[in-house]
Amino acid sequence: MKNILIIGSVGQIGSELTMELRKRYGNDHVVAGYRKTEPSEELANSGPLERVDATDVEKLNDVVKKYKIDTIYNLAALLSAVAEAKPQAAWNVGVNGVFNVLEVAREHGCAVFFPSSIGAFGPTTPLDNTPQDTIQRPTTMYGVTKVTGELLSDYYFKRFGVDTRGLRYPGIISSVTLPGGGTTDYAVEIFYEAIKHHKFTCPLPKGAFLDMMYMPDALDAAIDLMEANPSKLRHRNAFNVTAMSFDPEILAAEVRKHMPDFKMNYEVDPVKEAIASTWPNSMDDTAARREWGWNPKYKLPEMVADMMDKISAKLGIAFK
Ligand code: SER
């Protein structure tokens, strides 16, 4: 039986991944680690909870011992736009924190999941159909930490045999917990503004194509990779995974299919625009499909239909 620790369990991915892992492995086997933000009641009441973060190696060590943890999902990170505002803090969480987790994993024989990102690419990367193995010279602190995490994870596998595995996530869209300070956040915010005001002011320009994924697929991706037969994994720590690619115009057109009077205008945020322009327009994820059977369920139409319904129900505002 697995004993799992989630670091960053109150974040956008962590809040839903923790509940999904509790469902699959049993509530008592999944420890929700959090730092500052208080966990939701659902998270706090459904299983063990510990105030532990990746930058506190002693506490991390104690929690891993206390619960006999054998698998760590390290989801702690500052998203790309926040990381540009606070590069030192982003390095501390994204590199020192990752190093601490790997060290604790080495000592206690834990497997480690590391979420890398489309942010691990940069302006010299081929941005269309971005290959699995290609040039990675990111120009953001977020990207620098993600490439470092990929390399450290590879190193700990090769040098110490730590069972490290990871994905390069695209922008993640979900109806439960809001992302904070990411370049792809607009693809979540648009639904709240559409349901509330039937309009949205977009911070990215027309033509800013980026890869995206709906949360149910993001959860399956992490869990399926951690469950995959290790002998088949050639790219352990940095699988490109994507489910759809669109720009703001395409997303707005899809929203309009549900809400014909929806309007979108642009007030471009130069920081986010600059970041998005260095990230892939669309990634090639055939390595993930081949090595562990990656096969997302949600494309753009299904994702938009579900988000419109879920955000409408969440806000208690009908739109039909
Ligand atoms: N969603 C992230 C961001 O925009 C990318 O991995 O920062």
Side-chain angles (χ1 to χ4, degrees):
M1 178 56 88
K2 276 192 189 311
N3 289 321
I4 298 169
L5 169 64
I6 320 283
I7 297 170
S9 70
V10 299
Q12 189 204 10
I13 299 177
S15 56
E16 290 188 61
L17 185 62
T18 305
M19 295 312 298
E20 183 61 29
L21 288 167
R22 284 183 173 165
K23 208 167 17 162
R24 296 198 198 191
Y25 298 106
N27 287 352
D28 296 344
H29 293 275
V30 181
V31 181
Y34 71 103
R35 194 171 68 105
K36 263 196 335 230
T37 313
E38 285 301 319
S40 66
E41 267 179 39
E42 187 189 37
L43 212 59
N45 296 335
S46 59
L49 189 70
E50 288 284 345
R51 195 182 277 270
V52 57
D53 82 88
T55 62
D56 182 349
V57 72
E58 274 172 38
K59 184 71 196 278
L60 194 56
N61 213 48
D62 290 346
V63 171
V64 166
K65 274 202 283 200
K66 177 173 167 189
Y67 294 93
K68 299 187 171 44
I69 296 296
D70 54 43
T71 305
I72 305 173
Y73 286 76
N74 179 16
L75 302 174
L78 270 59
L79 291 182
S80 56
V82 185
E84 285 313 287
K86 303 181 195 168
Q88 297 81 0
W91 176 271
N92 196 30
V93 177
V95 176
N96 298 337
V98 169
F99 180 76
N100 289 340
V101 169
L102 289 168
E103 269 298 292
V104 169
R106 177 181 67 78
E107 211 169 304
H108 298 280
C110 307
V112 177
F113 174 78
F114 172 69
S116 186
S117 157
I118 49 174
F121 298 113
T124 50
T125 302
L127 297 184
D128 289 311
N129 208 23
T130 302
Q132 174 66 43
D133 301 304
T134 187
I135 299 163
Q136 289 182 267
R137 304 286 294 174
T139 48
T140 62
M141 179 51 95
Y142 183 68
V144 170
T145 65
K146 290 302 185 190
V147 174
T148 308
E150 290 182 7
L151 294 173
L152 277 174
S153 300
D154 278 348
Y155 181 81
Y156 269 72
F157 171 66
K158 287 205 188 79
R159 177 77 173 78
F160 302 116
V162 176
D163 185 2
T164 53
R165 306 183 188 196
L167 305 167
R168 292 188 187 122
Y169 272 133
I172 304 296
I173 297 161
S174 66
S175 57
V176 177
T177 305
L178 282 164
T183 302
T184 58
D185 294 9
Y186 91 90
V188 179
E189 289 155 1
I190 189 172
F191 295 101
Y192 288 83
E193 294 306 304
I195 299 293
K196 283 197 262 188
H197 308 298
H198 291 224
K199 61 180 196 222
F200 177 59
T201 301
C202 186
L204 287 185
K206 280 181 197 176
F209 277 84
L210 292 167
D211 284 297
M212 301 277 175
M213 186 183 293
Y214 199 34
M215 186 62 93
D217 283 325
L219 304 181
D220 281 347
I223 298 170
D224 290 354
L225 174 60
M226 293 309 282
E227 291 284 357
N229 177 348
S231 69
K232 298 227 163 77
L233 302 179
R234 207 167 65 74
H235 298 90
R236 294 199 133 247
N237 289 303
F239 283 98
N240 286 0
V241 280
T242 183
M244 60 192 95
S245 162
F246 54 74
D247 83 329
E249 289 287 297
I250 292 175
L251 179 57
E254 196 62 39
V255 171
R256 244 172 247 125
K257 289 184 185 164
H258 302 264
M259 182 183 273
D261 66 343
F262 174 72
K263 295 206 170 35
M264 189 167 78
N265 66 343
Y266 291 89
E267 262 173 43
V268 171
D269 173 334
V271 173
K272 291 186 178 178
E273 180 186 23
I275 293 173
S277 71
T278 70
W279 288 358
N281 301 322
S282 65
M283 288 189 290
D284 174 3
D285 61 4
T286 46
R289 289 172 187 270
R290 215 172 21 229
E291 292 178 40
W292 51 274
W294 164 240
N295 188 17
K297 296 185 187 75
Y298 288 83
K299 295 277 182 208
L300 178 65
E302 297 84 47
M303 179 277 284
V304 170
D306 203 48
M307 280 296 280
M308 293 297 285
D309 287 345
K310 294 248 165 71
I311 301 301
S312 160
K314 184 175 178 178
L315 298 176
I317 304 172
F319 70 92
K320 282 177 184 159

